[in-house]
Amino acid sequence: MKIILPEKDLPKQWYNILGDLPWELPPPIDPLTKKPISLEERNSVFCRELLEQDNSQEKWIDIPQEVREVLTIWRPTPLRRARNLEKHLKTECRIYYKDESCAPAGSFKQNTAIAQAYYFKKAGFKRLTTETGAGQWGSALSFACNEFGLKCRVYMVKISCELKPYREYLMKLWGAEVIPSPSKYTSFGRKILKDTPHTNGSLGISASEAVEEAFKNKDTGYGAASIFNFVNLHQTVIGLELKKQLRLIGDEPAYLIGCVGGGSNFAGLIFPFVKEKINGKEIKFIAVEPYACPSLTKGKYLYDFADSGCFSNLIKMYTLGHNFIPPPIHTTGLRYHGCSPVVSLLKYKNIIEAKAYHQLDVLKAGILFAKLEGILPAVETTYAIKAAIDIAKENKTRNKCIVFNFSGHGYFDLHTYQSFLHQELKNYRYPISKIKLAIKEIEKLQPK
Amino acid sequence: MKIILPEKDLPKQWYNILGDLPWELPPPIDPLTKKPISLEERNSVFCRELLEQDNSQEKWIDIPQEVREVLTIWRPTPLRRARNLEKHLKTECRIYYKDESCAPAGSFKQNTAIAQAYYFKKAGFKRLTTETGAGQWGSALSFACNEFGLKCRVYMVKISCELKPYREYLMKLWGAEVIPSPSKYTSFGRKILKDTPHTNGSLGISASEAVEEAFKNKDTGYGAASIFNFVNLHQTVIGLELKKQLRLIGDEPAYLIGCVGGGSNFAGLIFPFVKEKINGKEIKFIAVEPYACPSLTKGKYLYDFADSGCFSNLIKMYTLGHNFIPPPIHTTGLRYHGCSPVVSLLKYKNIIEAKAYHQLDVLKAGILFAKLEGILPAVETTYAIKAAIDIAKENKTRNKCIVFNFSGHGYFDLHTYQSFLHQELKNYRYPISKIKLAIKEIEKLQPK
């Protein structure tokens, strides 16, 4: 069963949770002075309009018509009911999923990619740089840049280039330049190559290279995949559409579930529902992450750098420390040391709950889902699926409405599924001593 | 712009063109006696209900509720308008495409796979065998078998296993067994391996292996990807939905376009419109095929075997001869020596037109489409896209409604696109002497 909205129901405004929360978000601070920094002082890798959105207290922000036009290529996305899965689990719960896999590059990332490319173009930028791990973000931004006539360079984690050649091909097909990272193009990349010539790279390293390049070139902006408030803002089309779709069928969600790396697909899903919970409504928000990279379940709520090269300002978030390098789990998109400040604040205020899983368990759930529902999930998405299944089992006779975000498809993750079926993958223990060490290192960064 | 039908508008009946044509279809004949064969005599790789559908003169055939339930996982499929492409071409034509890429295995093949698996299961079969080239069909049948609890073995053209590992992974994920063909599992495969140990395989060889195995095992059926009347029948959901969608927006098609290998995606698109044309309505049906394998544009309308192992009955169709092996173009799905008997009859009666293109030209059109519309077409689909573009250019100021079948997505064809971008591909001349020879060989098969 699919609940599909007409195009006119694509939201006309994004929902800005910052204008609607009873708490203030701890501001970004300067790493040297430890003082909050003004909009004017924030570094110039973004254009003005994105920075303003990042800081805005307006509850609703208009979506430009040019952005809406591109979004309607695939939006509104269907809300699907996983009836075969329900039957298989013998649960009385209703399990729905918001299918963000219909986007050009196959994931929710496309929502903010389009908006960012639009604003950068409007502000006169000529090109964007960014990082990518699994490739969902890099290909989403490649498409968006092509759509608005910007050049695009993507620093792709070296090991991902090798494991996911199709993602690289897709980016190139849309006109982007793809650079395996670390690379010789940036001083940070050169330093890493000198220190560890055989490194596989990491998302943190790629991000630092992309930011460095944008920082050094006036005509070049930096496309942000996650973390930033404006990214979460652009993703709220997901939750806003979901609200309408559930209203159409007269249902009310008891659980909203999303996988969490930087947190933006989860944010997009839940933000439009958060105020209701603060006002007393019974609804649970479940953020799902890997045991091997458990920022929300085992991290500390501290100020930290967003990237491992320490180019960013300090932001307050649940973090494992920017020097923490997670074990090589196959969900590249969730191998991030921190989590978006707003999602972190909601966790700190007990509005959301976090859950962690091992990769073998979630991949098993993903294959079950693909067999029953016919849609292959991205490996990141399998974390949300596993949580939805567990909740539907726990509530077998309780008739609850469970919705998870189907953040992307797994057509480019078949290598991982194949390795799983061949029993070549393993679980990784929660790397407690490495995390302790990395957190200790950032304690000195905190303001007095 | 998308035109989306509610689930209740999924057709309740298939349209059987055989019950509605003013001409009789030349019947299949026995290769030895050259006499038409009765339903009873037709070999047993199919179940009774499929054979009856293949032969039926009923204009409408009910779609079983169990089949409809599975079809609604992705159907009705959207009709999309390619506005960016229209703008780019500066044409006044309206270009729509019926998006069959939303199916679980990513193509229109899923429509008949579901129906076949259902009927075989109902008839007590335990497993199905089939062949696959590009992998669209093999993965569609794997999903369908998994859905109805049948085992599935897919003979995959050896070179495709190497070029499209992701397709193989997908079939295995859905529980199928994938055998690179030619293989040691069949006597036909062993013969080929003995004669040409280093062969890349071909669709004809794979099909013969699958048919042989089904023929020798009572509990095993053969899943037919194309050619057969019942396959075309199951594909008519495409054209029936399209009719409703065009009616919804008050538009009338001037051109219906599809790529043609065996012909079933084209058949599914146009069959529900054919009677109107016979009755005088102005509408053009354009079948598009590769120059390198030009059965409709350069083949002869003769009796021939459907497979290169000569296991089938003789069927009348446009053919290049069952021994013709086309050059190694990358559109595996269109490398077939013949074309479905009904589509061939319509060509013979001048109801449809055929067009042929070189692979470099269609791939260029496919990349243009992916850049403009954000959806990556299967390489087979790019033939239809190229024809749609050419027609829209020829009719720049004529304000025509052009619809093509977007038969599948190209996420698993990125290897081909990458080779194209690296200029590693070439065009192949129309292989005239090889075709002449292959056609000469089948002239002796004709009934007196």
Side-chain angles (χ1 to χ4, degrees), chain B residues 68-333:
Chain B
R68 291 185 81 241
E69 254 171 46
V70 184
L71 290 178
T72 51
I73 289 179
W74 74 98
R75 300 207 75 87
T77 60
L79 178 69
R80 299 181 191 271
R81 184 161 173 190
R83 277 202 198 271
N84 286 350
L85 180 62
E86 291 172 14
K87 272 185 223 161
H88 175 87
L89 298 173
K90 298 192 180 74
T91 180
E92 282 176 28
C93 293
R94 299 173 299 293
I95 306 176
Y96 298 94
Y97 57 105
K98 181 73 173 153
D99 184 4
E100 291 294 306
S101 75
C102 325
S107 88
F108 74 103
K109 296 274 188 192
Q110 200 70 72
N111 299 322
T112 185
I114 297 297
Q116 291 184 44
Y118 167 79
Y119 287 116
F120 275 115
K121 175 74 181 185
K122 201 178 149 203
F125 285 70
K126 299 277 178 264
R127 54 200 290 276
L128 296 185
T129 63
T130 199
E131 76 282 356
T132 203
Q136 286 190 343
W137 169 243
S139 43
L141 195 69
S142 302
F143 174 72
C145 284
N146 176 70
E147 196 70 23
F148 287 107
L150 289 164
K151 285 186 182 169
C152 185
R153 174 183 275 184
V154 181
Y155 289 92
M156 185 168 188
V157 178
K158 208 171 85 190
I159 183 79
S160 298
C161 285
E162 287 158 28
L163 286 177
K164 305 210 171 184
Y166 280 27
R167 279 282 177 197
E168 186 188 337
Y169 300 163
L170 188 60
M171 291 185 257
K172 287 179 172 173
L173 189 146
W174 278 327
E177 188 188 4
V178 181
I179 312 282
S181 163
S183 80
K184 292 178 179 165
Y185 288 85
T186 64
S187 41
F188 187 71
R190 286 188 294 271
K191 181 181 173 306
I192 300 280
L193 281 175
K194 201 179 148 208
D195 297 349
T196 51
H198 300 295
T199 176
N200 284 330
S202 77
L203 213 48
I205 295 170
S206 298
S208 296
E209 286 201 87
V211 169
E212 180 188 324
E213 192 189 327
F215 196 72
K216 287 182 177 166
N217 295 281
K218 269 229 140 161
D219 68 346
T220 304
Y222 168 68
S226 196
I227 308 292
F228 290 91
N229 301 334
F230 65 78
V231 175
N232 293 339
L233 175 78
H234 302 155
Q235 295 296 357
T236 57
V237 288
I238 301 172
L240 292 169
E241 285 178 11
L242 172 63
K243 263 199 166 169
K244 277 195 197 175
Q245 285 163 316
L246 288 174
R247 213 177 299 137
L248 258 183
I249 51 170
D251 214 333
E252 292 260 7
Y255 293 87
L256 294 184
I257 304 166
C259 63
V260 171
S264 68
N265 96 68
F266 179 66
L269 182 79
I270 71 155
F271 279 8
F273 295 84
V274 163
K275 197 58 186 291
E276 293 169 33
K277 177 169 178 119
I278 293 175
N279 291 341
K281 194 160 177 176
E282 229 180 275
I283 176 169
K284 291 193 177 192
F285 306 122
I286 317 286
V288 197
E289 61 184 12
Y291 262 129
C293 189
S295 48
L296 285 176
T297 48
K298 303 284 183 184
K300 286 269 162 65
Y301 189 49
L302 291 171
Y303 271 100
D304 194 5
F305 289 105
D307 63 318
S308 46
C310 306
F311 284 96
S312 75
N313 299 307
L314 291 172
I315 53 177
K316 190 149 187 183
M317 60 179 175
Y318 279 89
T319 177
L320 304 163
H322 63 272
N323 283 327
F324 171 70
I325 293 178
I329 51 167
H330 272 235
T331 36
T332 338

Side-chain angles (χ1 to χ4, degrees), chain A residues 2 7 72-73 75 80 370, chain B residues 2 7 72 75 80 174:
Chain A
K2 306 178 285 292
E7 279 177 20
T72 52
I73 289 180
R75 302 206 72 89
R80 299 181 191 269
Chain B
K2 305 177 287 292
E7 279 177 21
T72 51
R75 300 207 75 87
R80 299 181 191 271
W174 278 327

Side-chain angles (χ1 to χ4, degrees), chain A residues 112-397:
Chain A
T112 184
I114 298 297
Q116 290 184 45
Y118 167 78
Y119 286 116
F120 275 114
K121 176 75 181 184
K122 202 178 148 203
F125 285 71
K126 298 278 179 263
R127 54 199 292 275
L128 296 186
T129 63
T130 199
E131 76 282 357
T132 203
Q136 286 189 342
W137 169 244
S139 43
L141 195 70
S142 302
F143 174 72
C145 283
N146 176 71
E147 196 70 21
F148 288 106
L150 289 164
K151 286 187 181 167
C152 185
R153 174 182 276 184
V154 181
Y155 289 93
M156 186 170 187
V157 177
K158 208 171 85 190
I159 183 77
S160 298
C161 286
E162 287 158 28
L163 287 177
K164 307 211 170 184
Y166 280 28
R167 279 282 176 197
E168 186 187 338
Y169 299 164
L170 188 61
M171 290 185 258
K172 286 179 173 171
L173 189 145
W174 279 326
E177 188 188 4
V178 182
I179 312 282
S181 160
S183 79
K184 290 177 181 166
Y185 289 84
T186 64
S187 42
F188 187 71
R190 288 188 292 271
K191 180 182 172 305
I192 300 281
L193 281 175
K194 201 181 148 207
D195 296 348
T196 52
H198 301 295
T199 177
N200 284 330
S202 77
L203 211 51
I205 295 170
S206 298
S208 295
E209 286 201 88
V211 170
E212 181 188 324
E213 191 188 330
F215 196 72
K216 287 180 177 165
N217 295 281
K218 268 229 146 179
D219 68 346
T220 304
Y222 168 69
S226 195
I227 308 294
F228 290 91
N229 300 334
F230 65 78
V231 175
N232 293 339
L233 175 79
H234 302 155
Q235 295 297 357
T236 57
V237 289
I238 301 172
L240 293 169
E241 286 178 10
L242 173 62
K243 263 197 167 170
K244 275 194 196 174
Q245 286 164 314
L246 288 174
R247 214 177 297 137
L248 259 183
I249 52 169
D251 214 335
E252 291 261 6
Y255 293 87
L256 294 184
I257 304 165
C259 63
V260 172
S264 68
N265 97 70
F266 179 67
L269 182 79
I270 72 156
F271 279 8
F273 295 84
V274 163
K275 196 60 186 287
E276 295 170 32
K277 179 171 176 117
I278 293 174
N279 291 340
K281 195 161 177 178
E282 230 180 274
I283 176 169
K284 289 191 179 193
F285 305 122
I286 316 286
V288 197
E289 61 183 11
Y291 262 128
C293 191
S295 49
L296 285 177
T297 48
K298 304 284 184 184
K300 286 269 163 66
Y301 190 48
L302 291 171
Y303 271 99
D304 194 4
F305 288 105
D307 64 316
S308 46
C310 306
F311 284 96
S312 75
N313 298 308
L314 290 172
I315 52 177
K316 189 150 188 183
M317 61 180 175
Y318 278 90
T319 177
L320 303 163
H322 63 271
N323 282 327
F324 171 69
I325 293 179
I329 51 166
H330 273 235
T331 35
T332 338
L334 307 184
R335 289 177 77 245
Y336 183 66
H337 67 275
C339 185
S340 143
V342 185
V343 174
S344 293
L345 177 66
L346 294 177
K347 172 69 174 53
Y348 187 69
K349 296 289 183 186
N350 289 315
I351 299 297
I352 68 168
E353 296 164 41
K355 247 185 151 141
Y357 285 111
H358 279 307
Q359 73 173 355
L360 296 187
D361 300 328
V362 299
L363 288 172
K364 199 175 150 197
I367 290 177
L368 177 72
F369 190 83
K371 285 189 167 184
L372 291 167
E373 298 296 329
I375 300 183
L376 186 67
V379 288
E380 289 80 7
T381 311
T382 62
Y383 285 83
I385 293 175
K386 171 67 176 155
I389 288 175
D390 282 359
I391 289 166
K393 280 180 177 171
E394 287 158 21
N395 292 280
K396 229 170 193 170
T397 58

Side-chain angles (χ1 to χ4, degrees), chain B residues 85 89 95 255-259 286-289 353-357 361-362 365-366 381-395 402-404:
Chain B
L85 180 62
L89 298 173
I95 306 176
Y255 293 87
L256 294 184
I257 304 166
C259 63
I286 317 286
V288 197
E289 61 184 12
E353 296 164 40
K355 248 187 150 136
Y357 284 111
D361 300 329
V362 299
T381 311
T382 61
Y383 284 83
I385 293 174
K386 172 68 176 153
I389 287 175
D390 281 359
I391 290 166
K393 280 179 177 170
E394 288 158 19
N395 291 280
I402 301 166
V403 184
F404 70 88

